[in-house]
Amino acid sequence: MQKAIIIGAAGRDFHNFNTFFRNNRDYHVVAFTAAQIPDIDGRKYPAELAGNLYPEGIPIFGEDDLEKLILEKEADVCIFSYSDVPYSRVMNLSARVNAAGASFMLLGPNDTQIKSTKPVIAVCATRTGCGKSQTSRKVIELLMKQGLKVVAIRHPMPYGDLVKQKVQRFATVEDLAYHKCTIEEMEEYEPHVVRGNVIYAGVDYQAILEAAENDPDGCDVILWDGGNNDFSFYKPDLLITVVDPHRVNHELNYYPGEVNLRMADIIVINKMDSAAPEDINQLRANIDLVNPAATVIDGASPIRVDDRKVIKGKRVLVIEDGPTLTHGEMKIGAGTVAAKKFGAAEIVDPREYAVGKLAETYRIYPNIGMLLPAMGYGDEQVKDLQATIDNVPCDAVIIGTPIDLNRIVKITKPNTRVYYDLQEIGQPTLCDTLKEFVVSQNLQMSRV
């Protein structure tokens, strides 16, 4: 039996454990390590989820302690289990593991993907912030127009009580409060429920899948709404991968984004309305290099705001989606585009006014720049976000997040929200490809 440490960030790591290690007597998982997510270390993967082989649960430590843990736990192998990281970081971790004497492992789709009894469409991406969520929403809308019941399942964000979060169902905005969602969770779940479709998430994705397949409102198709740039937890019948010309070449240099690029049936080039032509051309060349058989759909993310007068001629604070700015490394978000498009006089730099956890976020991710990440993994971060917004000397606030932050924090300054949806350019279109999918899966017959 080999002793194993799973290197993760509260998501893929738990899924890899559940699907590959939980009942595997060839391995004994002695620890998880955690990165990217604040305050996740120092907890346990609970015995209620870990199974009969782990009656005490499994401790979670910070990734900084990795070498020490390998020695203390006499680990034989470490399994890298999180996403949206450059290859240099993956191999740096491999070097640390090997130097401490252990082997380094990456688990692939054959060992971790679960097969559904329903047709599965997976929407993934090559980086955080490519536009995967609005692509997922577009796919759902197109399928619903064909009379199909679509149930979405979101990549995990289990930052609270893991036992209570084993299977979560969101059908109303009230469900977000019931499950005590963080800002990051609300940004992903709320756009689905306000459009009238159900979305599941949690920790145990076998149990989640079974609940979704038997959803009380009905289920014809499972839509995997992927997170970060991870590959799907479920075996897809159709894989759509979204790429970003604002970060050209990242699709060939980040893990596991290139996996999604190479496996894709359909590739959506998003944000073409705001990208440089030379970057779009380079992206097309990269797609041709690794996946010439994929269908490529051109797309844009046109923005609109509630009140452009709030922006024009004003000194504005721009708030963007947190994870997109941090490990997603985005420099230009929807709020930034809105500031430029609608004539802001100046984007105010919030860094010197940041407090508490947000000030720490800027230290950890110094390349965020003059944008404010909407970080809210816990109550303390939400309070720090509120205080930072209050501190910034600006005329107005542009909310570039997928949800209205006014529900979470009290923004007393004039503010306006930015909206964005996927808009296809030319042909082929998602509508065309989804009609082919519906026919191939006999879904029209199933609805007669």
Side-chain angles (χ1 to χ4, degrees):
M1 178 186 293
Q2 289 196 311
K3 294 181 180 179
I5 294 174
I6 300 178
I7 303 170
R12 162 63 67 174
D13 48 354
F14 298 155
H15 180 70
N16 281 355
F17 172 80
N18 292 338
T19 54
F20 186 81
F21 293 101
R22 181 159 53 190
N23 299 311
N24 190 337
R25 294 184 180 275
D26 292 332
Y27 295 89
H28 181 72
V29 176
V30 294
F32 288 92
T33 65
Q36 293 184 345
I37 309 303
D39 305 321
I40 198 75
D41 55 298
R43 299 166 58 192
K44 272 191 173 185
Y45 192 66
E48 295 93 326
L49 299 176
N52 295 333
L53 299 180
Y54 299 89
E56 304 298 322
I58 305 168
I60 304 172
F61 301 90
E63 191 179 282
D64 290 343
D65 297 328
L66 181 58
E67 289 89 344
K68 179 182 175 183
L69 285 170
I70 291 171
L71 295 175
E72 288 183 352
K73 303 289 187 180
E74 299 180 334
D76 301 295
V77 60
C78 294
I79 301 88
F80 183 78
S81 302
Y82 61 94
S83 55
D84 208 36
V85 285
Y87 287 148
S88 58
R89 176 160 173 74
V90 177
M91 295 317 297
N92 170 260
L93 276 166
S94 175
R96 290 173 58 190
V97 169
N98 289 166
S103 295
F104 187 76
M105 179 188 291
L106 293 169
L107 289 172
N110 288 347
D111 283 320
T112 60
Q113 285 187 336
I114 304 168
K115 177 65 177 172
S116 175
T117 61
K118 303 287 185 178
V120 173
I121 298 175
V123 180
C124 298
T126 54
R127 290 301 316 276
T128 296
C130 283
K132 164 198 54 56
S133 294
Q134 66 241 48
T135 304
S136 295
R137 296 194 297 270
K138 179 78 169 184
V139 169
I140 291 171
E141 289 169 5
L142 290 170
L143 292 173
M144 289 174 69
K145 285 180 180 179
Q146 298 188 53
L148 297 169
K149 290 281 189 178
V150 185
V151 177
I153 302 179
R154 179 55 169 73
H155 187 276
M157 293 183 283
Y159 310 137
D161 185 321
L162 298 181
V163 175
K164 291 181 179 178
Q165 291 180 311
K166 178 181 177 180
V167 177
Q168 297 173 299
R169 182 181 187 269
F170 303 92
T172 67
V173 172
E174 288 73 25
D175 291 333
L176 304 175
Y178 173 78
H179 288 288
K180 299 180 180 178
C181 290
T182 64
I183 289 177
E184 285 70 22
E185 290 171 295
M186 285 186 279
E187 286 178 342
E188 299 299 337
Y189 307 152
E190 183 176 317
H192 283 281
V193 300
V194 297
R195 280 172 165 77
N197 66 282
V198 174
I199 183 166
Y200 283 81
V203 182
D204 189 329
Y205 275 76
Q206 178 67 60
I208 290 167
L209 180 61
E210 291 169 2
E213 291 170 339
N214 297 283
D215 187 79
D217 290 342
C219 175
D220 295 312
V221 179
I222 298 290
L223 188 287
W224 171 256
D225 186 354
N228 292 351
N229 62 342
D230 206 351
F231 56 84
S232 175
F233 286 13
Y234 303 126
K235 184 173 179 57
D237 298 290
L238 181 70
L239 172 58
I240 301 170
T241 297
V242 187
V243 297
D244 185 354
H246 286 289
R247 289 171 287 180
V248 67
N249 295 322
H250 284 211
E251 65 279 352
L252 300 182
N253 291 286
Y254 277 71
Y255 179 82
E258 187 178 348
V259 176
N260 289 329
L261 185 69
R262 288 178 175 272
M263 294 175 64
D265 301 300
I266 298 170
I267 297 172
V268 176
I269 302 177
N270 194 18
K271 307 179 188 177
M272 293 180 65
D273 52 329
S274 57
E278 59 270 22
D279 290 334
I280 295 171
N281 290 336
Q282 181 61 57
L283 184 52
R284 291 194 194 279
N286 291 346
I287 292 169
D288 287 340
L289 179 67
V290 301
N291 192 353
T295 298
V296 178
I297 294 175
D298 294 347
S301 290
I303 63 168
R304 63 188 191 280
V305 297
D306 287 323
D307 187 357
R308 64 180 64 189
K309 295 191 294 294
V310 171
I311 301 173
K312 188 172 179 59
K314 301 297 196 308
R315 300 174 68 248
V316 298
L317 168 66
V318 176
I319 306 175
E320 303 278 19
D321 171 60
T324 298
L325 297 184
T326 55
H327 54 268
E329 303 172 303
M330 270 291 289
K331 307 298 182 199
I332 301 174
T336 310
V337 173
K340 294 178 179 179
K341 181 175 181 178
F342 298 114
E346 178 188 349
I347 295 177
V348 179
D349 190 340
R351 286 174 287 190
E352 65 179 286
Y353 307 101
V355 301
K357 291 285 186 180
L358 264 174
E360 183 181 345
T361 298
Y362 282 115
R363 286 193 295 272
I364 297 172
Y365 300 98
N367 296 321
I368 289 175
M370 296 173 59
L371 305 173
L372 181 63
M375 305 298 287
Y377 288 111
D379 291 341
E380 186 177 354
Q381 277 194 334
V382 172
K383 290 178 182 177
D384 292 338
L385 177 62
Q386 173 80 69
T388 300
I389 294 171
D390 291 341
N391 288 345
V392 176
C394 62
D395 301 319
V397 177
I398 298 177
I399 302 171
T401 60
I403 61 167
D404 186 358
L405 278 182
N406 282 293
R407 288 201 304 103
I408 314 303
V409 297
K410 187 174 182 179
I411 303 176
T412 57
K413 300 178 176 73
N415 61 86
T416 190
R417 190 175 164 198
V418 182
Y419 303 88
Y420 45 92
D421 294 295
L422 179 69
Q423 182 181 89
E424 296 144 287
I425 302 171
Q427 292 181 323
T429 66
L430 279 173
C431 184
D432 296 334
T433 56
L434 290 174
K435 284 181 179 178
E436 294 173 3
F437 174 79
V438 167
V439 171
S440 71
Q441 297 294 319
N442 295 316
L443 286 168
Q444 289 175 319
M445 294 174 61
S446 74
R447 297 295 294 167
V448 173

